[in-house]
Structures are given as structure tokens and as C-alpha cells.
């Protein structure tokens, strides 16, 4: 039996903890009944989980939600070197917590509204949304966001707790949108272009080369993609590369010139110009401010 995890859109969840785990040998998930819902994002390897008798093998780029109150365990099938983020969260369970959340709810909703460029969530979404398992469309962006949530959890201040809870709801909403978009009637061309860009992020991607690879007329491809994505293919490639650059800044020790070269920009000055065009900051200023996320150009 598959157990979906439900969350409310009209209030922020109470996050218990956030972490990043890496196996060094063949590993089996412990046998337990969870007191909280858990979201995991697999970054490397393969994770094996059995939930209430249903077996799952979760691959890199997949998000999986484990339901509280249900038995979970695993066989020694999780590969060495497997790596995943987790967030444990649930609804507030005490009157004191309810009171604290009520005080921050207006501020939290305002942050979400600012981040998404929309008015308050109430009345625009179902009050309850369900998620279980999905392949994310923006894997490197999810990793960047998880690193940011890890930072807020580690800092532990009242401000960081609020950002952690709001950021988790923001992530859950975006994952739900991913599911909704993928099940809609989006043009196949959009998905083909997106997949090509993701496969060739570390190369110098030319729109004409992309059209030739997909065996499409360049003008037709550009017109359809722009209608579906709300941006040009060139802009989409730029944003995808900048997101990957931010992920590399947060997960590696590569410098700006090395990341520029890794992304197919032989000239670091040109890469800096692209980065500033997308984010509003140069890579140096962006790193000094410690953003490490993609919120400034969503």
C-alpha cells in the first residue's frame, strides 16, 4: 500500500531536523515507526526503503516522502557511497507551538508571497496537498536549496528557524508544482529541450546545435519553447548554467575561473557577465553575501 504524505498550504510545517547522510558500505535502513513525516532527496547511489510492505529503490534526482506512523525498514541494498538529504517535519502538536506558529504565520506567508511573486496562499491552492515520490525537474536547484536549509538548521536562531520552516513549505509547494506540470499537457518539445540542456550543462550549448540534435526547425523550436517556458531558449540555458554554478559553489572548492571553464565558458569575464545578468550580482559579490541559492532569479 502506498502512503502519500499530506501537508497544509495555509501554514508552515514544524521542521524537526535536516541532514545529509552518506553510506560507506552496503547499508540497510533501520526498522522503525517514524514520529514525523520525512522528505528525502537522493543525491548519489541508490536508497532502498520498505514502507508498510511496499518496496522502493530511490535513485539520484528523486524525492521520496516517508509517512509518519508507518513502519519503515530496509534490506542491505543501499549502495556504498549513496548520499541523501532529509527533512523531518510535521504539523505543530502542542498548544504552545500552535501559538508560536500563529505569531509567525503572517510573516511566513509574506515571505512566500514575496519569493513567488503572488498574493497570500489562502484561496489559491487546496488547503491540503499530497506527495509521495517524484523525479525533480531541477535537480541541481533542489540540492542548492537543501544546502541552504541545512545552513538555517545549523545556525538555529529564531530567524533561521523561521526561514527553515518557510523554506520547507516553499520546497514542498514547488515539488507539488513539478508533479502538476509533469502530469499536464505541456508540449513535448519543452521537455526535450530541457533534457538536452541538463545533459550538456558542462558544454558550450548553441541553440542551432540544439535544434539540429532534436531534428527541429530552429524558428519553430524557439517559438514553441518560448510560449511554453515564458522565456527564450538562450535565457533558459543561461539560468540553468547559473543554477549549476551556484550548486558547484556550495558543494565544491572550485574557484570562479574553474567553474566557468567547467560550464563551457572559456572566458571567465563572459561567465561573470552572464552570472550578473541572471542574478543581479557578480559571482564574487554573490559569494560574499553568502546567498548560495537561486531565489534571486526565480
Amino acid at each position: 500500500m502506498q502512503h502519500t504524505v499530506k501537508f497544509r498550504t495555509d501554514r508552515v510545517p514544524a521542521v524537526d531536523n535536516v541532514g545529509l547522510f552518506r553510506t560507506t558500505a552496503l547499508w540497510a535502513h533501520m526498522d522503525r515507526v517514524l514520529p514525523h513525516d520525512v522528505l528525502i532527496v537522493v543525491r548519489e547511489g541508490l536508497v532502498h526503503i520498505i514502507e508498510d510492505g511496499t518496496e522502493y529503490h530511490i535513485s539520484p534526482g528523486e524525492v521520496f516522502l516517508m509517512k509518519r506512523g508507518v513502519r519503515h525498514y530496509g534490506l542491505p541494498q543501499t549502495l556504498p557511497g549513496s548520499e541523501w538529504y532529509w527533512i523531518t517535519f510535521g504539523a505543530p502538536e502542542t498548544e504552545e507551538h500552535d501559538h508560536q506558529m500563529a505569531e509567525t504565520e503572517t510573516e511566513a506567508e509574506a515571505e512566500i508571497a514575496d519569493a513567488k511573486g503572488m498574493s497570500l496562499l489562502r484561496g489559491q491552492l487546496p488547503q491540503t496537498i499530497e506527495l509521495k515520490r517524484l523525479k525533480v525537474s531541477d535537480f541541481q536547484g533542489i540540492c542548492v536549496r537543501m544546502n541552504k536549509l541545512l545552513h538555517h538548521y545549523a545556525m538555529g536562531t529564531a530567524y533561521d528557524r523561521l526561514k527553515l520552516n518557510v523554506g520547507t513549505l516553499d520546497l514542498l509547494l514547488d515539488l507539488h508544482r513539478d508533479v502538476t506540470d509533469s502530469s499536464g499537457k505541456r508540449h513535448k518539445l519543452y521537455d526535450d529541450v530541457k533534457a538536452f540542456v541538463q545533459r550538456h550543462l558542462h558544454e558550450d550549448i548553441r541553440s542551432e546545435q540544439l535544434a539540429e540534435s532534436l531534428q527541429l526547425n530552429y524558428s519553430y523550436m524557439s517559438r514553441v519553447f518560448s510560449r511554453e517556458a515564458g522565456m527564450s531558449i538562450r535565457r533558459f540555458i543561461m539560468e540553468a548554467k547559473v543554477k549549476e554554478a551556484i550548486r558547484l559553489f556550495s558543494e565544491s572548492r572550485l574557484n570562479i575561473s574553474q567553474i566557468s571553464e567547467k560550464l563551457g565558458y572559456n572566458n571567465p569575464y563572459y561567465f561573470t557577465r552572464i552570472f550578473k545578468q541572471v542574478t543581479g550580482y557578480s559571482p564574487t559579490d554573490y559569494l560574499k553575501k553568502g546567498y548560495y541559492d537561486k531565489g534571486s532569479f526565480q
Side-chain angles (χ1 to χ4, degrees):
M1 177 181 179
Q2 186 180 78
H3 296 278
T4 58
V5 170
K6 299 180 181 180
F7 66 95
R8 292 181 58 167
T9 62
D10 61 348
R11 67 188 307 170
V12 294
V15 176
D16 183 54
N17 60 60
V18 184
L20 175 62
F21 183 74
R22 183 178 179 85
T23 61
T24 57
L26 206 59
W27 186 84
H29 191 283
M30 65 189 71
D31 192 338
R32 62 180 178 177
V33 176
L34 296 165
H36 298 90
D37 295 320
V38 180
L39 178 149
I40 68 171
V41 180
V42 177
R43 200 162 76 167
E44 299 286 348
L46 184 72
V47 179
H48 178 262
I49 294 174
I50 299 174
E51 181 182 67
D52 197 25
T54 301
E55 187 174 27
Y56 299 93
H57 292 87
I58 309 158
S59 303
E62 286 193 301
V63 174
F64 183 76
L65 288 99
M66 304 163 68
K67 187 175 180 62
R68 58 182 159 174
V70 177
R71 181 190 177 200
H72 297 86
Y73 64 98
L75 302 176
Q77 295 182 17
T78 296
L79 300 176
S82 295
E83 190 172 86
W84 63 93
Y85 299 98
W86 80 84
I87 305 175
T88 62
F89 67 96
E93 296 176 356
T94 67
E95 291 184 6
E96 179 183 0
H97 202 161
D98 278 346
H99 178 68
Q100 292 173 349
M101 295 306 293
E103 289 180 345
T104 61
E105 190 176 33
T106 301
E107 183 178 352
E109 287 176 334
E111 289 211 29
I112 295 171
D114 288 342
K116 294 296 179 187
M118 53 186 188
S119 58
L120 295 182
L121 290 170
R122 286 191 177 89
Q124 297 191 23
L125 289 170
Q127 191 176 60
T128 302
I129 286 176
E130 300 182 28
L131 287 171
K132 187 59 188 176
R133 182 182 185 179
L134 69 151
K135 184 80 171 179
V136 295
S137 60
D138 181 14
F139 179 49
Q140 78 268 33
I142 291 291
C143 290
V144 169
R145 293 170 74 173
M146 291 300 300
N147 284 332
K148 189 68 172 179
L149 294 178
L150 265 172
H151 169 75
H152 288 309
Y153 176 70
M155 294 300 291
T157 67
Y159 167 82
D160 285 292
R161 291 298 301 178
L162 175 61
K163 292 289 286 186
L164 175 60
N165 291 337
V166 171
T168 298
L169 177 57
D170 191 39
L171 176 62
L172 289 167
L173 290 171
D174 281 347
L175 291 174
H176 179 264
R177 184 175 60 185
D178 250 17
V179 173
T180 303
D181 286 350
S182 63
S183 62
K185 296 181 178 179
R186 189 171 55 197
H187 201 289
K188 182 178 181 296
L189 182 148
Y190 174 91
D191 293 325
D192 289 344
V193 170
K194 194 169 185 177
F196 181 93
V197 171
Q198 290 299 317
R199 287 196 306 270
H200 299 273
L201 267 180
H202 295 179
E203 302 171 19
D204 180 16
I205 304 174
R206 305 284 180 173
S207 298
E208 296 80 2
Q209 168 203 5
L210 197 161
E212 183 179 347
S213 176
L214 297 179
Q215 298 182 327
L216 293 170
N217 175 271
Y218 173 74
S219 297
Y220 169 78
M221 178 187 73
S222 298
R223 185 173 64 254
V224 173
F225 184 87
S226 296
R227 184 181 68 236
E228 295 292 324
M231 68 178 76
S232 68
I233 291 177
R234 179 177 178 274
R235 178 71 187 192
F236 180 81
I237 293 170
M238 287 166 52
E239 291 199 2
K241 283 180 173 284
V242 168
K243 289 177 186 177
E244 176 67 0
I246 293 171
R247 185 186 72 81
L248 291 170
F249 283 139
S250 66
E251 296 181 9
S252 74
R253 296 184 178 180
L254 298 176
N255 61 36
I256 293 171
S257 294
Q258 289 170 325
I259 287 178
S260 171
E261 185 177 355
K262 190 174 181 65
L263 291 173
Y265 295 115
N266 294 325
N267 186 338
Y269 296 103
Y270 180 69
F271 166 69
T272 295
R273 191 173 73 186
I274 294 296
F275 195 98
K276 188 170 185 178
Q277 187 175 341
V278 172
T279 67
Y281 299 92
S282 70
T284 301
D285 290 341
Y286 202 86
L287 291 172
K288 284 180 181 177
K289 290 177 179 293
Y291 288 157
Y292 291 103
D293 68 7
K294 60 187 180 64
S296 58
F297 60 97
Q298 276 190 314

